[in-house]
Amino acid sequence: MLIHLECTRCGEHYPSDRPQTVCTKDGGILYARYDLPKLKKTFSAARLAGRAPTMWRYDAVLPDADPVSLGEGFTPILASREFPNVYIKDEGLNPTGSFKARGLAAAVTMARHFGLKKLAIPSAGNAASALAAYAALAGLETHIFMPKDVPAANRVECDYYGAHVTLVDGLISDCAKKVAQLKDSDVWEKDGWFDVSTTKEPYRVEGKKTMGYEVAEQLGWKLPQGIIYPTGGGVGMLGMWKAFEEMEALGWIGSERPKMISVQAAGCAPIVKAWQEEKSQSEMWNNAATLASGLRVPKPYGDYLILDILKKSKGTALTATDDEIVEAVRHWAKVEGVFAAPEGAACVVAYRKLRDIGFFEPDDTVVLFNTGSGLKYLDVLDASVGKTLPAKPPEAAKPAARHIGGIIGPY
Ligand SMILES: [Zn+2]
């Protein structure tokens, strides 16, 4: 049902039968457009019942290609124990432990479909792990450029998945420069390279949009009053908004929309600053610093779309400090049983602030996105609280008396 790609700035159409990056006229992000009126006649939400609980249950609104899948998507939506009417969408349960699985599953699916050979990505961490895993599954070569201080899990995962990892002394924007240099070299096209940077190819948004379909389906096709989303590159925000428009065109929901809320780290908040200054684009945030590595994006490429969504949805943007975030990680773990990524825990900081000022009422249904598992940030979280993990008891260091073959038992 995919008919073409469309520039989100000028509306120019591009064919979807070959690899595309961004609009050649104005650098605008390209969105995949489907024949929704036709689909409306042939496919209803009721037909989703009984389908596999992965993001590919929505394949009617995804590009038609053989999926490269590790079972991503259809993550649980958990009712908060602390706040009635609040739900936690736990994306930490995806393959590779973060929401990045969705976008990269879709991007790698299309890369394999188009016969691309070598994928390059600048990543603040979790996108790199996800790309490395899906590329491994697809048998494609991956080159990853990540800041040298990414959480250890991301670096180790990429290494084990067999990716080529370059550690960069700088931020994700510096990593992006490295990929740009590579693009200018003569080997780029000759060797079948492709850049899967956030929003610089059209299909990561398509994978991420399935979060919007899931929120609607899991809440009985009734959208919540608010969605709080930790915003680095903002692909999920773009994707969910796109999903809502598609679902309305399909007749699955009405014209109601949740207020979309961007939460960013106080140490890197380009969207919040632009929102407060009522600008339509963000400015490069200097000296970005936060332990929430996924929020260390000094200028998201899709800023113009994120700010437009905040405005259209009557949402807002606000910050959480690293201290507030670490406290929230601990709080959520203790109160909700969810060991969240710092980026995800920022959502509860934002929710509390928005409740305090009356932006949300207690009976408003609000979905908070935990974008990843805290297990991917053990080194970061351990160091940040100024404590170390309890030392191993001496007997734990002894070799096991017998081989334990994956079973945890009383040996
Ligand atoms: Zn354009």
Side-chain angles (χ1 to χ4, degrees):
M1 288 290 173
L2 177 58
I3 41 179
H4 57 244
L5 304 171
E6 183 184 69
C7 175
T8 51
R9 278 193 204 273
C10 69
E12 180 77 12
H13 290 183
Y14 290 85
S16 58
D17 62 352
R18 66 203 73 167
Q20 300 283 5
T21 54
V22 292
C23 178
T24 51
K25 291 182 179 167
D26 55 17
I29 293 168
L30 302 184
Y31 272 2
R33 296 298 185 197
Y34 302 83
D35 189 348
L36 298 175
K38 189 173 171 193
L39 193 60
K40 189 180 181 182
K41 289 184 197 141
T42 56
F43 195 90
S44 68
R47 282 186 53 188
L48 295 168
R51 290 188 159 213
T54 75
M55 72 175 203
W56 300 98
R57 66 198 277 107
Y58 309 107
D59 62 1
V61 283
L62 291 170
D64 186 18
D66 186 20
V68 178
S69 175
L70 292 164
E72 54 288 335
F74 222 70
T75 53
I77 193 159
L78 308 167
S80 165
R81 187 165 77 87
E82 184 179 22
F83 299 109
N85 305 311
V86 166
Y87 293 87
I88 301 165
K89 180 72 171 153
D90 194 1
E91 289 292 296
L93 293 163
N94 275 303
T96 71
S98 89
F99 68 151
K100 299 282 183 180
R102 297 175 188 265
L104 274 312
V108 172
T109 290
M110 295 311 287
R112 183 175 72 176
H113 178 74
F114 291 130
L116 299 167
K117 300 283 181 241
K118 298 183 179 189
L119 306 179
I121 197 169
S123 168
N126 282 324
S129 310
L131 174 63
Y134 289 99
L137 180 62
L140 304 179
E141 194 176 310
T142 316
H143 292 257
I144 285 162
F145 298 83
M146 50 169 56
K148 66 177 186 188
D149 57 349
V150 291
N154 298 126
R155 186 170 44 75
V156 174
E157 279 179 286
C158 291
D159 181 35
Y160 271 70
Y161 287 129
H164 300 266
V165 179
T166 304
L167 296 175
V168 177
D169 191 5
L171 299 172
I172 188 168
S173 42
D174 301 297
C175 299
K177 276 180 211 153
K178 295 268 181 198
V179 175
Q181 282 165 10
L182 199 58
K183 261 184 182 167
D184 289 338
S185 70
D186 23 315
V187 295
W188 184 263
E189 261 180 54
K190 185 163 67 80
D191 291 355
W193 284 81
F194 192 72
D195 176 7
V196 281
S197 297
T198 303
T199 53
K200 293 198 184 155
E201 61 76 56
Y203 299 107
R204 285 177 64 181
V205 173
E206 292 305 286
K208 284 275 187 75
K209 84 178 179 190
T210 58
M211 297 191 295
Y213 280 88
E214 284 175 28
V215 166
E217 185 177 358
Q218 290 173 320
L219 296 179
W221 304 107
K222 198 170 178 309
L223 294 181
Q225 274 78 47
I227 289 180
I228 306 185
Y229 187 79
T231 309
V235 182
M237 173 84 78
L238 271 47
M240 283 192 279
W241 195 254
K242 183 172 187 286
F244 300 149
E245 288 175 351
E246 290 175 0
M247 281 188 278
E248 187 182 353
L250 290 167
W252 296 5
I253 59 166
S255 59
E256 76 281 5
R257 294 289 183 273
K259 289 175 177 165
M260 302 298 281
I261 318 294
S262 267
V263 57
Q264 295 197 301
C268 182
I271 294 295
V272 178
K273 183 169 182 281
W275 174 253
Q276 287 169 348
E277 293 170 357
E278 297 182 20
K279 294 198 170 133
S280 58
Q281 290 194 42
S282 65
E283 287 164 27
M284 180 70 80
W285 186 276
N286 291 319
N287 305 316
T290 168
L291 61 85
S293 48
L295 299 180
R296 235 169 16 179
V297 182
K299 187 184 188 321
Y301 194 74
D303 55 0
Y304 66 103
L305 293 171
I306 299 168
L307 289 159
D308 188 48
I309 291 166
L310 297 183
K311 199 170 168 184
K312 280 184 182 153
S313 74
K314 302 185 174 61
T316 189
L318 69 169
T319 60
T321 67
D322 278 10
D323 284 348
E324 288 172 328
I325 288 173
V326 173
E327 184 278 329
V329 172
R330 189 177 288 279
H331 181 78
W332 249 5
K334 282 167 84 169
V335 173
E336 307 280 7
V338 173
F339 186 33
E343 296 86 354
C347 291
V348 75
V349 178
Y351 178 72
R352 284 184 199 138
K353 289 181 182 179
L354 293 171
R355 274 286 296 275
D356 285 349
I357 59 167
F359 185 92
F360 284 127
E361 297 297 329
D363 57 354
D364 285 335
T365 301
V366 181
V367 175
L368 313 185
F369 264 85
N370 173 36
T371 47
S373 168
L375 292 174
K376 301 199 75 172
Y377 299 78
L378 290 181
D379 50 340
V380 178
L381 291 170
D382 190 32
S384 69
V385 291
K387 293 180 198 164
T388 51
L389 292 170
K392 272 185 191 171
E395 56 270 31
K398 285 182 195 161
R402 51 183 271 217
H403 181 60
I404 301 178
I407 301 164
I408 299 168
Y411 299 112

